[in-house]
Amino acid sequence: EDIIQQIATAYNTNGELYQFLSRNLNNPVFYHHSNLLMLYMEQRNKELKGRAKMYIHFHNQFMDIFCYDKSSQILHAVTHEGENDKNLVYHTLNMWDKCGFDQNEDSLFILSSSAEINLYVPSMLSEYVKNIKQIRISGESSPLQNNTNKELPLDMIIVSAK
């Protein structure tokens, strides 16, 4: 269980996998991927006070949406699984509307590593939202990144930078 902005995230994992990792690693720490992203966004929001923000993150068959008000208080954190691109555009715009965001004043940020880019959804969203920016988080300084030939997922890049 992790707490961010007085919100607790309780999550479940495969019991056998948890037991295996607990037995074979020295004091492992387990994170939910959305909490790692929210910890990153908490730091970023300190630089972006005074405007509402939406962050979206694509990974595998999932898309996470995080919404913050003008004072950087979290409004929503939602994950969609297995949706096609048109539905992801709909869900994003629906959440934008529910939060009362202004298409000319507020910002939509797309979090990604260089390997996690969905070009269709941002291009469709740009017809409705003026301020869309991509935030690429590089794992180049990560000690884990240097030992692999593959790009790490964004949550692994964030935790390796801690």
Side-chain angles (χ1 to χ4, degrees), residues 90-127:
Y90 168 79
H91 291 305
T92 304
L93 292 174
N94 186 39
M95 188 65 68
W96 184 272
D97 184 53
K98 285 182 181 178
C99 291
F101 291 165
D102 182 314
Q103 68 177 350
N104 292 311
E105 298 296 322
D106 299 323
S107 297
L108 188 151
F109 297 99
I110 300 165
L111 297 172
S112 70
S113 65
S114 59
E116 301 169 332
I117 298 174
N118 178 321
L119 298 176
Y120 177 81
V121 174
S123 68
M124 291 302 296
L125 292 172
S126 67
E127 294 182 28

Side-chain angles (χ1 to χ4, degrees), residues 7-61:
I7 298 169
T9 302
Y11 54 93
N12 195 4
T13 188
N14 177 295
E16 288 181 32
L17 178 61
Y18 174 82
Q19 291 298 325
F20 173 79
L21 293 173
S22 295
R23 278 192 318 270
N24 292 294
L25 298 174
N26 184 24
N27 295 322
V29 178
F30 299 93
Y31 296 96
H32 189 273
H33 81 279
S34 64
N35 281 57
L36 291 171
L37 295 173
M38 288 192 296
L39 289 171
Y40 172 80
M41 290 179 279
E42 287 289 307
Q43 291 301 315
R44 183 153 181 86
N45 285 342
K46 290 177 183 176
E47 304 164 15
L48 301 168
K49 288 194 183 233
R51 61 179 170 168
K53 303 158 270 312
M54 175 184 278
Y55 295 89
I56 59 176
H57 172 243
F58 302 98
H59 53 107
N60 297 327
Q61 294 297 314

